[in-house]
Amino acid sequence: MRTPARDLLRPVLAPVALGAALAALGGWLWWEWWAPPPTGKVYETSVGPTWYPDPFDPGITRDFNATATFVVVGFGLALVLGLASGWLARNRAVPGLAAVGVASLVGAAVMTLVGLAQSPPDPQDRAGEVAIGTVLPGNLEIGGWTPYLAWPVGALLGYLVVMLALKPTSLSGGSPRPAPLSSAPGPQG
């Protein structure tokens, strides 16, 4: 016997679980694609010991690459999440939409945590504890808050595509109504 609560189980819980699983994979892919971390040295500056990537320009490029990689991997996996969630929630569009929104936020957080857990710690935090000239590995980081939008945007886009692609009968769960018969004559010729 099916109950309303049981009918909501698949379109609500499945996207959140799928989002967490895809995000864990995404965090690992993010690290693997970006690794190995760039190296740098601790220099004496007017503000105290400071870590800079060595060489400087490729090190800064690697920082951008970390953010760009997060966006590319996150958006792709979020798109898969949205497509799958749309299919699972095809008969429950509104609860499914809420679930895919929550799942995308969970996905962004889990991917960030898994990726950063594999990274060395921030070398600037250790700069004051080591000798000047010490070589330290860089760390994985995200520049700004906008890259985190890759998950919600990708998931909602995938969800929207599925919802718009489905026939209205698959959304309502019923059969289509027959077109009313017209008494107007058909086209001549």
Side-chain angles (χ1 to χ4, degrees):
M1 184 166 135
R2 298 189 76 141
T3 63
R6 186 177 172 117
D7 287 344
L8 288 177
L9 200 60
R10 183 179 67 173
V12 173
L13 292 182
V16 176
L18 179 62
L22 287 172
L25 172 67
W28 177 79
L29 285 173
W30 179 35
W31 168 255
E32 288 298 319
W33 195 353
W34 182 78
T39 58
K41 288 184 183 177
V42 176
Y43 294 93
E44 183 64 48
T45 65
S46 60
V47 294
T50 305
W51 180 87
Y52 288 108
D54 188 26
F56 186 74
D57 286 339
I60 296 300
T61 302
R62 294 282 290 177
D63 287 344
F64 172 77
N65 285 345
T67 302
T69 303
F70 179 88
V71 170
V72 169
V73 171
F75 185 82
L77 292 173
L79 193 61
V80 170
L81 170 67
L83 293 170
S85 298
W87 182 254
L88 291 171
R90 63 190 174 274
N91 296 324
R92 301 275 191 215
V94 175
L97 179 62
V100 81
V102 169
S104 69
L105 297 176
V106 167
V110 169
M111 182 173 166
T112 303
L113 292 173
V114 169
L116 295 180
Q118 299 176 73
S119 175
D122 186 355
Q124 186 56 44
D125 292 344
R126 296 189 50 216
E129 304 167 357
V130 297
I132 302 300
T134 301
V135 175
L136 296 173
N139 66 318
L140 187 61
E141 60 186 7
I142 299 173
W145 62 271
T146 54
Y148 296 106
L149 293 177
W151 273 89
V153 169
L156 293 174
L157 176 65
Y159 191 81
L160 177 69
V161 166
V162 170
M163 287 298 154
L164 291 177
L166 292 174
K167 294 180 184 176
T169 57
S170 65
L171 293 176
S172 66
S175 60
R177 285 194 270 182
L181 298 176
S182 172
S183 60
Q188 302 294 317

